[in-house]
Amino acid sequence: MTGIKFAWSAVGGDPALLPRVSTVARESALHAHLPVRELARSCVGACALAAAELGARRAELSEVPRVTLDDGAIATAFVSERHLLVDGRAPVMFAPLSRFWRTADGWVRTHANYPHHRSRLLTALGLTAEGPDAVGTALAERSSRDVEEAVYAAGGLAVALRTPEEWAVHEQAAAVARRPLVEHERSDTARARALPSLDGTPLLPAAGVRVLDLTRVIAGPVATRTLALLGADVLRVDAPQSPELADQHTDTGFGKRSATLDLAADRRAFEELLAAADVVVTGYRPGALERFGLSARALTERRPGLVVAELSAWGAYGPWRERRGFDSLVQAATGIAALEGSPSDGPAGRPGALPAQALDHGTGYLLAAAVLRALTEQLADGRGQGRCVRLSLARTAEWLVHGMRPGSKEHLAYDTADTHETAGAYDAPGPWLTERSSALGRLRYALPPVSFAGGPVDWARPPGVWGADPARWA
């Protein structure tokens, strides 16, 4: 089974629609030891086909529009944060303390891009100075697993480098492997808002769909950025005391509006948003939103017919379910960094990394695909039952590492029939970059890779200032 077939099946798609997909293959795109190009192509393909299917149903077309997957567009979009320029300035990707460090017995990966995570890392290490030299000295004297536990206990983020074999015997890995790539649940509640038929150009499958975006960082915002491309009214809501990193917000803010809301103090405003929402996307660690009554069950009880999409780093199960996590940390824990690294250097080998934050981006497109398919199913069955879809970066990592095995049901390799055109090597991203003006300055950015006949080619609006929009639907 090829990657696109498996991804499409994972979001509940009809295999009869797969012949509507064609591929423009470009050698060297997202080159890695692991099949990253195939993973990226599969995730974007499932999303594009889900968009085309929903658009065809709403526009009452006789057939689903054709989908084209161009490796160049996909590879460029999977590193969109690296291609972003704001008035000619390139963003800073990682803070100085977000990196791999040598420990007494191997390596550890820390994440300290946010100020509170940096502070907690230093506290766990007993440091007052935050320079890399002091951190490196402190870490070199301790074991990687000891650092992992101590930093997490302090509320920070650090993960020991593991090989795939070491991860496979971890209890969290076993819990992740038992779950499907995309989890689906239905609620008994039914009251989805009727979506009108579509007409006009471009075809916007999610036009009129109200998406409440409660996500941060990359994966969740990529999903909602994609829904915004497809016409959804996406309102991102953040706590006023927790601003998003400016460049991260710019890269993932296309097509959306951004508001701040204190869930404790402004609960009435949130409930008004929820009462008119069609989709809620959450990207916080499991349990973090439950104290506000924002579990999937609670949301669908208060808003019957709602589609809830939940995203986490490690999964909503197992001993690590409540741990924070990011793409780079999941790569370190699951053996990806070891596989992509140099085995000849050091006791555990020098760690490497994927050519993109592919777990973030890939899971983001899968999450958007699952939402689009849930909306299509609501239209098809006419009952408007509430639905919940759930994904995790760790489960996507499991697919990437083990789906490469020939004969696996999740096999990521492509049959020759899946590739309709070979266009040579991926040399430069230029054809898939564009520029426009915005309230944030002149932007250079990656164009969306989700492409189908008659569909949109760019977002209707650029990103705006974080938190500058009112907390109400357009």
Side-chain angles (χ1 to χ4, degrees), residues 100-110 125 135-148 158-161 346-348 351:
F100 275 107
W101 308 83
R102 275 198 181 276
T103 62
D105 62 346
W107 297 86
V108 69
R109 183 63 162 86
T110 57
L125 299 178
V135 173
T137 298
L139 291 172
E141 299 172 350
R142 304 172 67 169
S143 74
S144 56
R145 305 292 175 91
D146 173 60
V147 172
E148 177 180 275
V159 169
L161 177 72

Side-chain angles (χ1 to χ4, degrees), residues 51-400:
E53 178 193 29
L54 178 59
R57 177 171 288 276
R58 293 189 63 192
E60 300 177 354
L61 302 180
S62 59
E63 63 179 5
V64 172
R66 295 202 64 87
V67 168
T68 301
L69 304 177
D70 192 313
D71 283 347
I74 295 169
T76 303
F78 263 58
V79 289
S80 61
E81 62 275 11
R82 299 181 198 171
H83 293 304
L84 177 71
L85 293 178
V86 182
D87 286 334
R89 176 188 61 79
V92 176
M93 295 300 302
F94 287 100
L97 300 188
S98 296
R99 47 171 278 197
F100 275 107
W101 308 83
R102 275 198 181 276
T103 62
D105 62 346
W107 297 86
V108 69
R109 183 63 162 86
T110 57
H111 196 288
N113 285 3
Y114 291 94
H116 58 293
H117 292 156
R118 181 178 64 247
S119 175
R120 293 168 185 172
L121 171 64
L122 295 173
T123 298
L125 299 178
L127 298 174
T128 55
E130 60 179 76
D133 290 343
V135 173
T137 298
L139 291 172
E141 299 172 350
R142 304 172 67 169
S143 74
S144 56
R145 305 292 175 91
D146 173 60
V147 172
E148 177 180 275
E149 293 304 319
V151 173
Y152 264 105
L157 295 111
V159 169
L161 177 72
R162 289 172 171 83
T163 65
E165 294 75 21
E166 289 171 330
W167 176 245
V169 298
H170 194 284
E171 189 177 345
Q172 187 63 32
V176 167
R178 287 194 293 266
R179 302 288 176 140
L181 181 62
V182 182
E183 297 180 64
H184 301 262
E185 294 178 4
R186 287 197 184 195
S187 72
D188 295 332
T189 62
R191 198 195 70 196
R193 189 164 59 95
L195 297 176
S197 297
L198 297 177
D199 55 18
T201 304
L203 180 64
L204 297 173
V209 175
R210 296 178 184 137
V211 178
L212 193 53
D213 180 358
L214 306 180
T215 69
R216 291 175 70 80
V217 198
I218 296 178
V222 163
T224 52
R225 180 180 71 180
T226 303
L227 295 174
L229 167 75
L230 299 170
D233 177 11
V234 179
L235 179 64
R236 173 166 167 169
V237 175
D238 288 279
Q241 69 273 20
S242 302
E244 182 61 281
L245 301 176
D247 292 331
Q248 207 158 255
H249 168 73
T250 301
D251 177 55
T252 60
F254 284 87
K256 310 178 193 178
R257 293 177 298 117
S258 170
T260 60
L261 200 62
D262 187 323
L263 290 179
D266 301 324
R267 192 50 183 258
R268 180 176 178 180
F270 177 83
E271 293 299 327
E272 288 175 353
L273 290 172
L274 176 63
D278 303 299
V279 177
V280 174
V281 185
T282 69
Y284 292 81
R285 61 192 172 90
L289 295 177
E290 290 181 5
R291 60 195 175 101
F292 297 106
L294 301 182
S295 67
R297 178 173 302 219
L299 289 169
T300 54
E301 285 176 353
R302 299 205 303 281
R303 172 62 174 97
L306 187 71
V307 174
V308 180
E310 296 183 329
L311 170 74
S312 64
W314 305 107
Y317 31 75
W320 282 15
R321 66 178 297 276
E322 294 186 355
R323 287 196 174 190
R324 299 173 178 85
F326 294 93
D327 181 300
S328 58
L329 300 180
V330 177
Q331 287 192 41
T334 59
I336 291 173
L339 289 170
E340 294 295 333
S342 171
S344 63
D345 185 22
R350 179 172 293 278
L354 299 176
Q357 294 191 71
L359 305 181
D360 266 334
H361 286 270
T363 308
Y365 288 109
L366 276 178
L367 191 68
V371 169
L372 294 166
R373 288 248 58 259
L375 293 170
T376 298
E377 290 173 358
Q378 285 185 332
L379 291 175
D381 66 24
R383 298 178 60 192
Q385 278 186 299
R387 284 164 169 78
C388 176
V389 294
R390 190 177 295 115
L391 294 89
S392 73
L393 303 186
R395 184 59 181 84
T396 303
E398 167 77 11
W399 182 32
L400 176 62

Side-chain angles (χ1 to χ4, degrees), residues 437-462:
S437 296
S438 75
L440 302 171
R442 184 72 179 173
L443 304 180
R444 187 195 74 174
Y445 60 97
L447 288 165
V450 173
S451 177
F452 58 92
V457 297
D458 199 352
W459 289 273
R461 56 185 289 165

